[in-house]
Amino acid sequence: MVGLGIGVFLIAGTLSVYQESQSAILAAERISRVQESGRYALQAIEEDIRAVGAWGMLNSTEFVTGRATPADPVNLPLAGACEPNWAVNLETPVEGGENVNPYAASCLAGVGYVPGTDVLVVRYADQRDLTAADLAPGGLYLRSDQIKGELFTGVALPAGFAPGARINELHTVSYFVSSASDVDDEVPSLRRAFVDMTGGQPTVLIEEVISGVEDLQIQYGVDLTNDGSANSYVGADLVADPETIVSVRLWARIRTDRPELGFTDDRTWIYSEQQYNAGATPGTDDDAFRRTVVSKTIELRNRRTDIFNGV
């Protein structure tokens, strides 16, 4: 009896240690997964930001025909446009909405935009050179040489360019946070609106980048002395001249897909100009998710080229 009692005691202790070890392993796995999601989210956005302001063989859009601002007559057709000339507004290669959805009445209507999160828009020409055989109906492209450029759609090449002129696909992409993901309406996600070819004409489509992103905050590094370095970082509403933007700073708050029994997130997350406390939110389970905040500052390398060339 004594031996049996000692054996039961030892087994119970072993099981307790095993359960605690398993809980620690699962917690570490969840934290690792959240951190991985954060890194992936920033990497996806970074690839587009680093390409901002690339215009084929040109350093400036001054001599690109076909470009237009929202105030100009609509130039090229775009199904589901976020605003007039959204895809060809090359004068503003990077812009955004500060804690607001600037396209709530157009392309980002009904997408579950999370109030209080930032929206980012970037524009550039893809670095990959195309041939005439690569062109497709509905594609949006830039043809350029060292003197001029022209935007066009479809497979008919603009004429009058020097030998060696480049053809590059034009990209306009907007990142935002949605309250739902593709697999679960209760899980937030990072999404993007982008221009793709559908039905023989350029069309704005929306796709999920990664789930679990609760918040996206953005500040823009502005160069007020024209030396290629940011003098300060401000929100989109405080950028007086988009041409002064030389870098972008991102923050993303990521959470697990499911609440964790017995866990309480009692931390106050302070980043950008935000202060978030999960326990103070109306959601009863908000403090049962594990979270992390990731941040990165990204230089607009093509903007530095413009400055050094005196453009």
Side-chain angles (χ1 to χ4, degrees):
M1 293 290 291
V2 172
L4 181 62
I6 294 174
V8 170
F9 176 78
L10 292 175
I11 292 173
T14 302
L15 288 176
S16 177
V17 171
Y18 173 77
Q19 290 175 342
E20 291 180 0
S21 299
Q22 283 296 102
S23 297
I25 291 173
L26 290 175
E29 182 180 348
R30 294 188 184 101
I31 294 172
S32 176
R33 189 172 302 167
V34 169
Q35 292 173 339
E36 181 181 354
S37 295
R39 288 192 296 268
Y40 179 83
L42 292 190
Q43 180 181 352
I45 303 176
E46 180 182 3
E47 291 178 0
D48 282 328
I49 291 178
R50 289 206 181 277
V52 162
W55 310 120
M57 299 183 72
L58 300 172
N59 291 328
S60 171
T61 62
E62 180 180 359
F63 300 107
V64 176
T65 59
R67 75 189 194 281
T69 70
D72 296 326
V74 175
N75 193 338
L76 296 175
L78 178 64
C82 298
E83 64 183 0
N85 297 316
W86 185 67
V88 296
N89 183 17
L90 308 191
E91 301 300 319
T92 310
V94 58
E95 60 181 335
E98 179 69 13
N99 296 325
V100 68
N101 179 4
Y103 310 123
S106 54
C107 66
L108 299 189
V111 296
Y113 162 79
V114 176
T117 60
D118 289 351
V119 175
L120 173 69
V121 182
V122 294
R123 299 179 176 92
Y124 62 92
D126 196 289
Q127 299 290 321
R128 185 171 67 95
D129 291 338
L130 304 176
T131 67
D134 296 320
L135 305 183
L140 181 57
Y141 307 103
L142 167 67
R143 190 176 194 191
S144 63
D145 56 25
Q146 294 180 337
I147 299 176
K148 63 179 181 178
E150 183 173 344
L151 302 179
F152 68 100
T153 61
V155 299
L157 280 176
F161 283 82
R166 295 175 59 182
I167 308 170
N168 304 95
E169 186 176 1
L170 190 66
H171 293 287
T172 296
V173 186
S174 178
Y175 287 92
F176 65 97
V177 176
S178 172
S179 59
S181 69
D182 290 343
V183 296
D184 193 331
D185 290 342
E186 300 298 322
V187 178
S189 63
L190 176 68
R191 293 177 176 261
R192 59 185 167 203
F194 62 101
V195 180
D196 200 1
M197 53 193 79
T198 301
Q201 69 170 330
T203 303
V204 176
L205 303 179
I206 295 177
E207 68 178 7
E208 179 178 310
V209 178
I210 192 169
S211 64
V213 179
E214 290 184 310
D215 188 20
L216 176 66
Q217 294 294 318
I218 305 164
Q219 290 184 355
Y220 302 85
V222 292
D223 174 18
L224 304 179
T225 55
N226 203 40
D227 62 356
S229 300
N231 301 109
S232 62
Y233 283 85
V234 297
D237 56 335
L238 297 179
V239 177
D241 180 5
E243 288 297 316
T244 63
I245 298 175
V246 294
S247 56
V248 176
R249 182 170 291 168
L250 305 171
W251 290 266
R253 190 177 76 239
I254 322 292
R255 72 165 214 202
T256 52
D257 289 346
R258 297 285 180 269
E260 182 178 332
L261 183 64
F263 172 75
T264 301
D265 180 10
D266 56 2
R267 176 174 174 175
T268 298
W269 298 92
I270 300 175
Y271 57 98
S272 183
E273 298 177 350
Q274 307 299 307
Q275 185 168 313
Y276 177 80
N277 188 314
T281 64
T284 55
D285 290 334
D286 282 351
D287 59 353
F289 294 94
R290 291 191 181 271
R291 291 179 172 81
T292 190
V293 171
V294 292
S295 176
K296 192 163 192 177
T297 301
I298 304 163
E299 180 185 53
L300 306 187
R301 57 188 179 190
N302 296 304
R303 176 60 188 151
R304 287 180 62 87
T305 300
D306 290 349
I307 292 172
F308 294 149
N309 288 338
V311 177

